[in-house]
Amino acid sequence: MSVPTGSVPRSDGWEKVTGRARYAVDMALPNMAHAAVVRSERAHARITGIDRAEAQAAPGVIAVVTADDLGYLGRRFGHIVCDHPILAVDKVRYYGEPVAVVVAETPQQAADAAELVWVDYDDLPALTGAAGALASDALIHEQSYPPPGEAFLGVAPAASTDNVAHHDELAWGDAGAALAAAATVVETTASFPLVYGYAMETYNAVADWQHGSLHVISTAQHPLMVRKELARIFSLPLAAVRVEVPYIGGGYGSKSYTKLEPLASVVSWAAGRPIKVTTDIEGAMNTTRADGAVVTVRTGFDAGARICARDIEIRFDTGAYADNSPLVLTKSINRSFGPYRVPNLRVRGTAVYTNTSPASSYRGFGAPQGALAGELNMDMAAERLGIDPVELRRRNLLAPGDTIIDGKRPLDADLVADLDAIVAALERPAPSGAHAPADVAGRVRAADSASAPATDGGHDAGSGPLRGWGVAVSASDAGASPISTAQVRMHADGSVTLLVSSTEMGQGSRTALAQIAARELGVPMEAVAVGQSDTRFTPFEWTTGASRTTTVVGLAVQAACTDLWNNLRAKAAESAGVSLDRTEVHDGRVYVDGEALTPAEVIRQWFGADAGEVVGVGVIRRDGATEMLPPFWEIGAVGVEVSVDTATGEVTVEHLVTVGDVGHAVNPDLVKGQDLGAATQGLGIALWEEMVYDGEQLTNPNLIEYRVPRLRDTPRRITSVLAERGDGAGPYGVKGAGEGALNPVPAAVAAAVGRAVGVWPTEVPLTPPRVWSLLQEAANEV
Amino acid sequence: MLPELGLVRSDDLDGVLAAVDYDHAPYAGGTELVPAMGLGLRRPAAVVDLKRVEALRGIDVDAGAATVTIGAAVTHRRLSDHPAVREHLPTLAAAASRVGNARVRSTGTVGGNLCFAEPRSDLGCVLVALGATAEVRSARVTRTLSIDELIVGAFETSLEPDEILTTIAVPFEPPGMSYWKLQSYERPTLGVALVVSESRWEVTVGAATERPTRAVLAAGDTAGLAAFVDGLELSDDMTGPPEYKRSVLRSHLGRNLGATA
Ligand SMILES: Cc1cc2nc3c(=O)[nH]c(=O)nc-3n(C[C@H](O)[C@H](O)[C@H](O)COP(=O)(O)OP(=O)(O)OC[C@H]3O[C@@H](n4cnc5c(N)ncnc54)[C@H](O)[C@@H]3O)c2cc1C
């Protein structure tokens, strides 16, 4: 029996490569009608009237639905702050917000009629920037919202009286006093752009309300979270709401929690037909984005270049609705100071409502925002202190088993070893102990200038590209709530069906989970079928987020397999009429008094026919290996080397090094794919991606002007290292992967460009004109 | 989402010319027209397919006249792969091979590029530099225009609604020609075509200008070059402010003309 370990091919590969895999956008129900969303053409305005007569009379139109038509249904959703109207109620808070929905027989008829819905607005001040929104007297939310229940993961809903969606703090020691006493204090402010989590599939949903039940097929990452909100909106028991999620064409956090589902569902209720709602890229950008941020970090060092304090201020641009941003903010705070020994800490974070597309979860979950300023700050500090930046990090990094945050799981990773792996791959000379010579970091131009990094290459105008390198690390307290259930059903031929509500969105989780089941049960991969998540049939799963699946769901699958073996043993004993202690299990067989039986034989014997099945259930909760939170720290450790064209400011990534510190790679190719994908997304933020608001509107709501990385942008050289030290709480020592490699990339690129150009950047993306501006600044400083 | 719309197909030019008018837009690759319709910027009742008309698909070399005549419905891919184009118009072939992305190159056409008159184009710049002429036809008349007369502004041509561009006649490439572009985004940010001889500098700047803009200078006239560069009105958009584009242009000219513009 070949046990399917290692990089087995993806089980969804054939379907996806041949174009036969099905996604929510492909789904249809009998008698289905189509919806087109009428979106706000104001950033902030009161709705004074909606004239739908013309649209209602248009060919094929079944209904025109507004917030006024929703009867007893809930008007709002939001799992932390219930502030998000399904359809705008009285006012609009961002350009592109859904105001009405036209339902028609065909998508074209719906789209044509949507242009005939006339909305009258009374303009309010459009607060499209966080600083302006904080300073303004105008309120984006004039009311507070009834809490949806208890606090969600410790984040309590707050009333907005000042355009603040959430505020949080983390502190220990006395950062103020320690900074005052520090030998050196280095301050960094960096801006992180509004980023769109571009996925090949946008948000899509089909909804069918029938008396007493609701059926939704959608692109939800977290079907059980969506079920909960829909049940509340419709006052239905959980069991009456069925959320089905086929393959998702990419998520990156942007499809976590509730998005298009309430809209599709209430429209089905109002129109009395199954409804399909799809979005284009513009609609998707107007559904969710990542929080933009301005982060200021002040770090104090003692005479030995050891951190004595960090004081950090984070301001998020959260957009019109809170969605998951309060939790993202809290996590950003936890992740902002890095995996360093910080004896005195103060981090303050504010998430600000603005009149822009609402922000929520995005790959990295607050970590990239904080790491940009936090890690760049380490590079600026290294330069100021005259120490190699790798050495400075090494001197301050926490060791395995150290506490990062009191009460949380101690660090389950060896970051110094990860850093060494990066340096080795970058082929840089290792810094030799304390106070490495300055030429390791490049020539120091102005020894006492904190704002002018030592350039790595020469900077004679026109003498070819400049070169620079950067490394960065981060550790994230994975928000992977350990609540998971898995079911393995073994059939009469020994093959198994694995049921989980974890969603497959391209990350390869169905393959990895099947591998775990196959390994535990000693069956080949082909003998394991993994069903799609469907809340009516698949068991409870918290979410598919926080890089949790292989760790947490993997444990549930492992537990389900153990349960299955126990059941098989019991059945074998019962069939043979012997006591349990005369049976044992090893090497994929059940032994009864030393005689080997295959699981299939056990099943057939017990049922007395070539039929039947035996089921194993695995349940994970805060207990045992997953009692201590987080279940793991997700590590990000990367290095980059860049070249900068002095004439055009174009940055080329010459070498990217990722270290996947995953404990154990169930499928190394899938882990490397995650690392490369995440790092590439980070490169997009570092160099290109930014949603630009000019006045009330997004100026680049398409993929021609919102530039995501293309094949030609991939680094010239990529080194993907896997660190498998078996130090995770998951099966075989697994820890999460999927987000880690994104988190430090913008910081590493910013440091590398800063080193190449001679001026530290203060914002990303480092587009050619921005780098050109840095080059001008550098030239003027000489 | 695209509205429902009609489609007119004909294999011959007269059939096409009879159909084209304000409400019946010609289309070839649709790479510009379809997104424009999706955004509601263009709302023709029907589109008229040019792709099946043989007369619009030729690439013909006239050795005597030293020209290559290119049909308006020739795709970027065919243009860049064609042996005669590569031989006689290597700079144009290279520019076509680097247009946008593979999808745009295999469906987008030379005619569509010129007639949409999107400023951020390579072909317009290269064709102006080459001194190409366009043949334009309607059911009524046939006209011959320079590319400069065809493209009159950003997204603006001198075509009447019932006219189509049929062919472009391009003189063989002169020695000393080069084309360089800065393309950090999906479309070019700046394009510079140079024709340099012992006596003359011909500089054509595109993409950052409303339409390709050409200067003919005596070789070595650095003052004239500087005045030309300083006088250009350059776009201010996501790809960078005018100062940036001017600086990139200057350094390109500096490197290639050995002159600080
Ligand atoms: C993503 C992207 C990237 C691009 N990058 C580049 C680039 O790097 N460099 C570059 O030069 N260009 C670039 N382009 C432009 C590209 O070259 C054009 O989209 C393409 O050539 C248009 O040809 P088409 O046949 O698809 O035109 P269509 O979309 O079919 O037509 C465009 C317009 O021209 C009209 N039209 C078409 N043919 C004729 C004709 N014969 N007579 C009269 N009117 C006509 C149509 O009515 C329509 O208004 C890019 C385009 C895209 C979408």
Side-chain angles (χ1 to χ4, degrees):
Chain A
M1 170 97 41
S2 68
V3 177
T5 54
S7 297
V8 305
R10 305 177 61 114
S11 45
D12 53 353
W14 190 87
E15 279 170 85
K16 287 184 175 172
V17 169
T18 56
R20 295 185 63 179
R22 271 179 300 230
Y23 298 83
V25 73
D26 301 313
M27 295 301 169
L29 291 174
N31 201 31
M32 184 173 82
H34 297 267
V37 181
V38 178
R39 293 177 180 273
S40 166
E41 292 179 357
R42 297 289 189 284
H44 195 193
R46 239 162 254 302
I47 297 171
T48 54
I50 300 177
D51 180 355
R52 45 181 143 172
E54 217 182 316
Q56 222 131 23
V61 170
I62 299 160
V64 179
V65 183
T66 72
D68 287 342
D69 306 319
L70 301 187
Y72 69 88
L73 304 182
R75 294 290 186 280
R76 293 190 180 79
F77 64 103
H79 59 287
I80 299 175
V81 186
C82 196
D83 62 356
H84 200 155
I86 299 166
L87 287 165
V89 179
D90 302 331
K91 70 184 272 193
V92 291
R93 297 183 177 85
Y94 70 99
Y95 197 104
E97 176 166 4
V99 174
V101 176
V102 176
V103 182
E105 298 293 345
T106 71
Q108 280 80 9
Q109 289 169 335
D112 286 350
E115 293 181 24
L116 305 175
V117 176
W118 306 105
V119 185
D120 287 324
Y121 296 103
D122 212 353
D123 283 329
L124 295 164
L127 308 170
T128 50
L134 277 181
S136 173
D137 289 335
L139 287 181
I140 294 171
H141 294 267
E142 290 105 340
Q143 66 193 105
S144 60
Y145 299 94
E150 73 285 16
F152 182 84
L153 294 177
V155 176
S160 168
T161 51
D162 46 8
N163 292 330
V164 169
H166 190 61
H167 181 83
D168 207 351
E169 289 194 26
L170 179 69
W172 56 73
D174 185 341
L179 281 172
T184 310
V185 176
V186 181
E187 178 172 326
T188 306
T189 296
S191 309
F192 189 93
L194 312 189
V195 173
Y196 161 51
Y198 166 63
M200 282 193 283
E201 187 181 13
T202 55
Y203 302 93
N204 299 303
V206 175
D208 184 17
W209 180 86
Q210 307 221 14
H211 184 76
S213 76
L214 177 64
H215 180 195
V216 172
I217 307 169
S218 87
T219 47
Q221 275 182 238
H222 310 341
L224 280 303
M225 293 285 179
V226 172
R227 180 180 70 168
K228 189 172 169 187
E229 286 218 84
L230 291 175
R232 185 183 51 73
I233 291 165
F234 282 83
S235 307
L236 284 171
L238 292 176
V241 180
R242 175 180 179 194
V243 179
E244 238 187 296
V245 181
Y247 287 127
I248 305 176
Y252 316 114
S254 71
K255 296 191 174 98
S256 64
Y257 301 95
T258 307
K259 296 290 181 283
L260 208 52
E261 295 83 2
L263 186 135
S265 302
V266 300
V267 170
S268 172
W269 178 87
R273 293 271 293 267
I275 298 292
K276 184 171 196 171
V277 192
T278 62
T279 49
D280 57 11
I281 295 288
E282 183 167 0
M285 285 177 133
N286 278 323
T287 301
T288 317
R289 59 171 174 86
D291 289 273
V294 177
V295 178
T296 297
V297 179
R298 290 169 68 226
T299 309
F301 294 88
D302 67 15
R306 284 177 216 289
I307 295 171
C308 51
R310 295 194 104 172
D311 185 355
I312 301 174
E313 186 132 7
I314 300 171
R315 192 187 68 211
F316 270 7
D317 178 339
T318 285
Y321 298 104
D323 202 314
N324 208 30
S325 289
L327 194 58
V328 177
L329 179 72
T330 294
K331 289 294 186 185
S332 187
I333 288 170
N334 290 349
R335 298 162 181 189
S336 63
F337 51 92
Y340 299 113
R341 232 168 281 113
V342 182
N344 299 282
L345 178 79
R346 179 172 54 183
V347 191
R348 286 167 293 179
T350 309
V352 184
Y353 281 127
T354 61
N355 292 120
T356 59
S357 170
S360 184
S361 321
Y362 174 80
R363 202 173 198 167
F365 213 91
Q369 287 92 330
L372 175 64
E375 283 294 277
L376 196 54
N377 178 261
M378 292 300 277
D379 288 279
M380 292 169 67
E383 199 229 359
R384 171 87 78 87
L385 296 164
I387 297 179
D388 180 273
V390 172
E391 169 56 22
L392 181 67
R393 286 181 171 83
R394 190 181 278 133
R395 206 175 286 184
N396 286 286
L397 280 171
L398 293 164
D402 281 355
T403 298
I404 301 187
I405 298 173
D406 234 7
K408 295 204 179 230
R409 180 182 296 271
L411 181 61
D412 51 355
D414 188 343
L415 292 164
V416 171
D418 293 343
L419 197 57
D420 288 344
I422 297 170
V423 173
L426 283 177
E427 292 162 16
R428 296 199 58 80
S432 49
H435 290 279
D439 63 1
V440 174
R443 270 182 285 133
V444 175
R445 251 203 330 214
D448 57 351
S449 156
S451 61
T455 53
D456 222 18
H459 188 210
D460 312 316
S463 69
L466 301 170
R467 287 242 182 193
W469 62 279
V471 300
V473 292
S474 75
S476 293
D477 51 331
S481 291
I483 300 179
S484 179
T485 322
Q487 208 186 47
V488 273
R489 295 162 50 197
M490 183 174 272
H491 311 296
D493 64 351
S495 67
V496 296
T497 300
L498 171 60
L499 297 180
V500 290
S501 290
S502 184
T503 47
E504 170 63 82
M505 47 193 148
Q507 79 278 46
S509 60
R510 285 196 200 170
T511 307
L513 295 175
Q515 272 183 274
I516 293 172
R519 184 159 158 183
E520 294 296 317
L521 299 174
V523 299
M525 277 296 275
E526 308 79 71
V528 184
V530 187
Q532 72 165 43
S533 58
D534 179 338
T535 62
R536 178 155 291 172
F537 302 108
T538 52
F540 190 88
E541 186 60 56
W542 179 257
T543 62
T544 302
S547 309
R548 70 199 292 280
T549 300
T550 312
T551 305
V552 177
V553 187
L555 286 172
V557 171
Q558 216 178 16
C561 293
T562 304
D563 187 47
L564 178 66
W565 280 123
N566 289 338
N567 292 341
L568 287 169
R569 238 183 102 189
K571 294 211 160 24
E574 196 180 340
S575 298
V578 302
S579 64
L580 202 55
D581 58 10
R582 284 165 58 187
T583 65
E584 54 185 24
V585 168
H586 51 85
D587 299 325
R589 295 284 180 278
V590 179
Y591 289 83
V592 180
D593 285 337
E595 187 201 333
L597 291 169
T598 65
E601 286 165 342
V602 173
I603 295 170
R604 291 197 293 248
Q605 247 179 29
W606 194 84
F607 282 96
D610 183 8
E613 68 180 19
V614 176
V615 178
V617 175
V619 180
I620 297 300
R621 59 182 185 132
R622 271 195 75 175
D623 192 25
T626 51
E627 180 164 5
M628 191 122 197
L629 296 184
F632 55 89
W633 287 87
E634 185 171 4
I635 302 307
V638 302
V640 293
E641 194 166 347
V642 303
S643 63
V644 176
D645 183 317
T646 53
T648 63
E650 288 176 300
V651 176
T652 303
V653 182
E654 301 288 343
H655 193 181
L656 164 74
V657 180
T658 58
V659 176
D661 185 340
V662 296
H664 167 80
V666 169
N667 187 317
D669 278 358
L670 285 177
V671 177
K672 287 184 178 180
Q674 284 300 302
D675 279 355
L676 180 57
T680 303
Q681 213 162 10
L683 291 176
I685 300 168
L687 298 174
W688 303 112
E689 294 186 40
E690 178 171 28
M691 289 166 70
V692 179
Y693 275 88
D694 181 12
E696 305 207 340
Q697 278 193 63
L698 193 56
T699 57
N700 55 343
N702 58 66
L703 290 174
I704 293 181
E705 276 148 321
Y706 182 90
R707 188 182 176 313
V708 295
R710 302 179 298 201
L711 210 53
R712 248 187 284 157
D713 299 321
T714 49
R716 294 212 171 149
R717 186 174 161 204
I718 297 163
T719 308
S720 177
V721 180
L722 294 185
E724 296 186 87
R725 305 187 188 103
D727 44 10
Y732 328 116
V734 160
K735 296 181 285 188
E739 299 171 86
L742 186 155
N743 300 341
V745 168
V749 172
V753 170
R755 228 164 251 135
V757 166
V759 175
W760 295 112
T762 57
E763 62 185 344
V764 295
L766 290 163
T767 58
R770 282 197 181 136
V771 174
W772 175 80
S773 296
L774 294 175
L775 286 160
Q776 305 307 300
E777 233 181 277
N780 292 337
E781 272 178 20
V782 176
Chain B
M1 177 165 305
L2 278 186
E4 284 181 40
L5 85 170
L7 171 63
V8 180
R9 273 193 165 143
S10 172
D11 291 349
D12 68 14
L13 190 55
D14 290 339
V16 161
L17 290 176
V20 169
D21 63 23
Y22 186 79
D23 287 325
H24 296 76
Y27 91 100
T31 57
E32 300 287 16
L33 186 61
V34 171
M37 289 191 301
L39 291 171
L41 301 174
R42 292 290 310 271
R43 296 169 180 269
V47 292
V48 182
D49 187 359
L50 305 182
K51 290 191 298 291
R52 304 191 168 195
V53 180
E54 202 50 53
L56 302 178
R57 294 172 44 184
I59 297 182
D60 301 303
V61 181
D62 182 340
T67 57
V68 182
T69 300
I70 300 163
V74 168
T75 62
H76 299 297
R77 161 131 313 142
R78 243 191 94 219
L79 189 66
S80 64
D81 289 353
H82 197 278
V85 178
R86 293 168 76 123
E87 184 184 344
H88 299 297
L89 302 169
T91 301
L92 180 65
S97 77
R98 295 189 52 220
V99 160
N101 56 50
R103 279 190 303 172
V104 170
R105 287 193 295 273
S106 48
T107 48
T109 62
V110 181
N113 182 301
L114 297 176
C115 295
F116 197 65
E118 151 76 81
R120 295 169 299 174
S121 155
D122 298 306
L123 297 199
C125 184
V126 173
L127 289 171
V128 166
L130 284 164
T133 54
E135 188 195 71
V136 167
R137 280 221 219 167
S138 70
R140 302 168 288 118
V141 289
T142 301
R143 308 191 278 148
T144 302
L145 312 171
S146 68
I147 302 298
D148 208 37
E149 290 162 329
L150 176 71
I151 302 174
V152 294
F155 304 101
E156 218 186 320
T157 66
S158 55
L159 292 180
E160 297 295 328
D162 64 343
E163 282 182 324
I164 67 163
L165 171 66
T166 50
T167 56
I168 303 120
V170 194
F172 287 180
E173 177 171 323
M177 177 155 185
S178 66
Y179 178 71
W180 175 84
K181 66 168 162 177
L182 171 65
Q183 185 151 5
S184 338
Y185 289 80
E186 200 70 35
R187 294 176 189 270
T189 301
L190 175 72
V192 190
L194 295 177
V195 180
V196 181
S197 69
E198 295 223 323
S199 59
R200 291 215 307 187
W201 287 351
E202 294 176 28
V203 182
T204 312
V205 177
T209 50
E210 279 220 330
R211 58 192 187 121
T213 307
R214 181 162 179 247
V216 179
L217 302 158
D221 180 5
T222 50
L225 187 63
F228 168 67
V229 171
D230 289 342
L232 286 172
E233 258 187 53
L234 300 176
S235 57
D236 188 357
D237 57 20
M238 289 199 35
T239 67
E243 316 84 82
Y244 166 67
K245 290 167 187 164
R246 212 178 305 280
S247 162
V248 173
L249 175 59
R250 279 200 193 102
S251 72
H252 176 73
L253 294 175
R255 269 200 306 271
N256 287 273
L257 297 177
T260 23

